[in-house]
Amino acid sequence: MPDEPDPELELTSALVPFFVITNGRSLPPDQEYERTALVTARQDAPAAARTLSPEAQKIMELIADGFLAVVEVAGHTHLPLGIVRILLAQLEESGLIIVRKPVPRAEGVDRELIGAVLAGLRNRFGA
């Protein structure tokens, strides 16, 4: 009877390929990209991109001609968002991409303050 591998030791989980794709790295805390952050390749990046993993090369091809949101990159590559974020962190550390963080949400407007400003402008300019 042939030796059967211990099922607990088998690495057949769907996560194993993702572990390999990211070289076992996790996302650095200072590079937690929001889904709407925009990424693009640097002008001089195509030459350096030839030595990247196939997944990173695919990302570089997608963002070579303009900006894409992080979530769009994940959608086009069919990779989980967490994996895309790790690959983007590697690309940013290598100086191959530019990341633009999303514009922060506007704070609530103080209506009394706006009313006072409008009243002051009306008094000043006689409108």
Side-chain angles (χ1 to χ4, degrees):
M1 181 167 167
D3 290 336
E4 291 185 27
D6 185 354
E8 290 182 23
L9 297 178
E10 284 246 10
L11 297 177
T12 56
S13 166
L15 297 177
V16 172
F18 297 135
F19 181 84
V20 172
I21 289 171
T22 61
N23 294 323
R25 288 189 53 180
S26 61
L27 186 63
D30 59 332
Q31 291 177 313
E32 297 210 8
Y33 304 107
E34 293 186 41
R35 290 178 287 147
T36 56
L38 299 175
V39 294
T40 191
R42 291 193 178 271
Q43 297 266 336
D44 55 349
R50 292 186 199 127
T51 61
L52 299 172
S53 69
E55 295 81 12
Q57 285 179 357
K58 176 70 175 168
I59 290 173
M60 292 301 291
E61 290 170 13
L62 285 170
I63 62 175
D65 295 326
F67 284 92
L68 275 181
V70 171
V71 73
E72 290 177 304
V73 173
H76 287 294
T77 59
H78 303 290
L79 292 170
L81 189 57
I83 300 301
V84 169
R85 286 176 170 151
I86 293 169
L87 291 172
L88 290 173
Q90 291 172 343
L91 293 171
E92 186 178 22
E93 286 174 2
S94 299
L96 298 175
I97 64 170
I98 299 169
V99 180
R100 288 194 181 160
K101 298 189 186 306
V103 177
R105 243 187 143 142
E107 294 180 19
V109 177
D110 183 357
R111 291 187 178 267
E112 289 181 29
L113 176 63
I114 298 295
V117 170
L118 282 173
L121 289 172
R122 286 186 184 129
N123 289 339
R124 172 86 171 139
F125 296 106

